[in-house]
Amino acid sequence: MTVATDLKGGGVERAALRLAAGWIAAGRRVTLVAGSLDGPLATELPDGIETLVLGRASIRRLFELPRIVRRLAPDLLFIPGNHYTSVAAWTRLRLGRRCPPIVGKVSNAPVRVDHGALVAAGHRAWLDLHRRFLDRAVAMTDATARQSEELMAMPGRVAVIPNPPARAIAGAPLPPLPSGRFVLGVGRLVPQKRWDRLIAALPRLSDPTVSLLILGEGERRAELEAQLAALGLQNRVFLPGNAADPLPVMARAEVMALVSDFEGVPGVLHEALSVGTPVVATRSTLAIDEILTDPALGTAVPLDDPDALVAALETWLRSDAIRPTAVPPPGTDSAVRYLQLFDQLVG
């Protein structure tokens, strides 16, 4: 059994659906408990998945999970990301020894730069509690696993399993694309992603014909649109919303940029590199250096260094820039590796 607030397009939920498809293909029964099944990811629900819809897209509705677990008696609970671990804690508290094993995935940075001292201390205390309600955690790279083991005090209980790779979706419509060269961003329009940084960099580029396309939707749309108006960039920056399959767009971009304050292991970087598109990324996670293992793949820049961001973009926008050779993404066997972990715990 796994959970989701809704299917509006987050990377956590998309990865969970890919894993569920692999588990079903391996003959396992998978139940998704969701506040709502509304959203673009509804088209990616795998055949054979069982769903239980609570009627409202709210994390609070998922706190009904203990009652559902009592009734359906799943063998194991998979918590697909940091956002949902409070639901895991509540379920363990309510069910005690009757609770099935719980595996939680570390989907976002355990240490966040947007936290002040007081919030950071509270978050650190919360992470330390995870060892009490998670049987195992899963991180996506070695570095994030080591960090998670330390912060959650779970030595030997954090497995390393990457997310399953994105697959091309046959017949998926392309969003409207700029007519010329463009920089691409892919991700929700939320504070964490800091798309304002990328928008601010655009008028500083030496080529005024380069456009910016950001695929995603979220609460910051109005603020970003106001920024575009203030900078006079409405004709160079495009926000078409979510894309069912961003891979063909990535392949057409000159460079893909991720300028977040914090991340877990950003799958969009693997996706861009899998189609031979270079990336520029802020050092938002320890995993950046694990992904950009060669300067030929892209450039990592400090979080708050506008000059470094512009310089990195200019490097990959040069006419003589050499695009990287496509890098096969990790995780082709991730669904199987998760099942091996699950079977050990259930056994």
Side-chain angles (χ1 to χ4, degrees):
M1 179 177 284
T2 189
V3 297
T5 302
D6 54 46
L7 300 179
K8 290 185 177 178
V12 167
E13 291 76 19
R14 174 170 267 132
L17 293 180
R18 291 174 187 159
L19 286 170
W23 300 335
I24 292 168
R28 308 304 176 96
R29 180 180 173 187
V30 181
T31 300
L32 170 66
V33 178
S36 166
L37 295 182
D38 293 335
L41 294 184
T43 60
E44 298 183 35
L45 280 168
D47 292 339
I49 194 169
E50 301 175 24
T51 58
L52 194 158
V53 183
L54 302 177
R56 188 171 74 248
S58 164
I59 190 73
R60 295 177 63 184
R61 287 307 297 267
L62 292 179
F63 279 77
E64 298 178 29
L65 195 62
R67 172 181 59 80
I68 296 166
V69 169
R70 284 194 198 101
R71 178 164 60 89
L72 298 182
D75 297 292
L76 181 137
L77 292 177
F78 173 62
I79 304 301
N82 303 46
H83 177 64
Y84 298 109
T85 52
S86 58
V87 176
W90 176 245
T91 303
R92 176 74 74 184
L93 179 66
R94 293 287 294 169
L95 298 183
R97 293 183 178 180
R98 294 174 297 169
C99 187
I102 303 177
V103 175
K105 191 182 81 174
V106 181
S107 63
N108 224 324
V111 178
R112 292 171 44 170
V113 299
D114 61 329
H115 286 169
L118 185 61
V119 174
H123 186 61
R124 181 68 179 260
W126 165 240
L127 289 173
D128 187 63
L129 289 174
H130 280 52
R131 59 194 166 93
R132 299 183 180 275
F133 60 84
L134 293 182
D135 293 276
R136 294 288 189 277
V138 175
M140 292 176 275
T141 70
D142 292 333
T144 53
R146 290 192 297 269
Q147 184 182 46
S148 299
E149 279 193 349
E150 178 183 353
L151 293 172
M152 296 192 293
M154 294 177 64
R157 293 167 57 195
V158 180
V160 179
I161 307 176
N163 272 340
R167 303 295 187 192
I169 300 175
L174 275 177
L177 300 181
S179 57
R181 301 197 305 155
F182 65 93
V183 176
L184 176 66
V186 179
R188 294 169 298 146
L189 308 184
V190 295
Q192 167 190 352
K193 299 297 184 180
R194 291 300 307 271
W195 296 123
D196 57 295
R197 282 184 178 133
L198 193 53
I199 291 171
L202 190 68
R204 298 184 57 193
L205 298 179
S206 58
D207 185 349
T209 67
V210 172
S211 300
L212 170 61
L213 176 70
I214 302 175
L215 299 179
E217 196 52 80
E219 64 198 62
R220 276 288 173 92
R221 172 174 284 277
E223 293 178 41
L224 295 176
E225 289 175 341
Q227 182 185 11
L228 298 182
L231 295 174
L233 294 175
Q234 299 97 319
N235 295 325
R236 286 184 67 189
V237 180
F238 305 93
L239 307 174
N242 290 309
D245 182 2
L247 288 175
V249 186
M250 291 178 179
R252 289 167 170 77
E254 297 296 312
V255 58
M256 204 196 77
L258 184 72
V259 291
S260 304
D261 274 338
F262 58 93
E263 288 283 348
V265 179
V268 291
L269 299 187
H270 285 302
E271 292 169 15
L273 294 173
S274 76
V275 294
T277 297
V279 300
V280 170
T282 51
R283 293 191 179 279
S284 54
T285 168
L286 296 174
I288 295 298
D289 289 332
E290 294 178 291
I291 297 172
L292 298 181
T293 55
D294 188 321
L297 301 177
T299 309
V301 299
L303 284 178
D304 288 302
D305 191 335
D307 293 338
L309 176 59
V310 170
L313 293 172
E314 292 278 31
T315 295
W316 294 105
L317 288 169
R318 287 169 44 184
S319 59
D320 60 349
I322 301 174
R323 293 174 72 88
T325 302
V327 179
T332 54
D333 62 345
S334 292
V336 172
R337 291 167 65 183
Y338 267 102
L339 288 180
Q340 290 170 347
L341 174 63
F342 295 167
D343 289 346
Q344 290 171 6
L345 288 171
V346 173

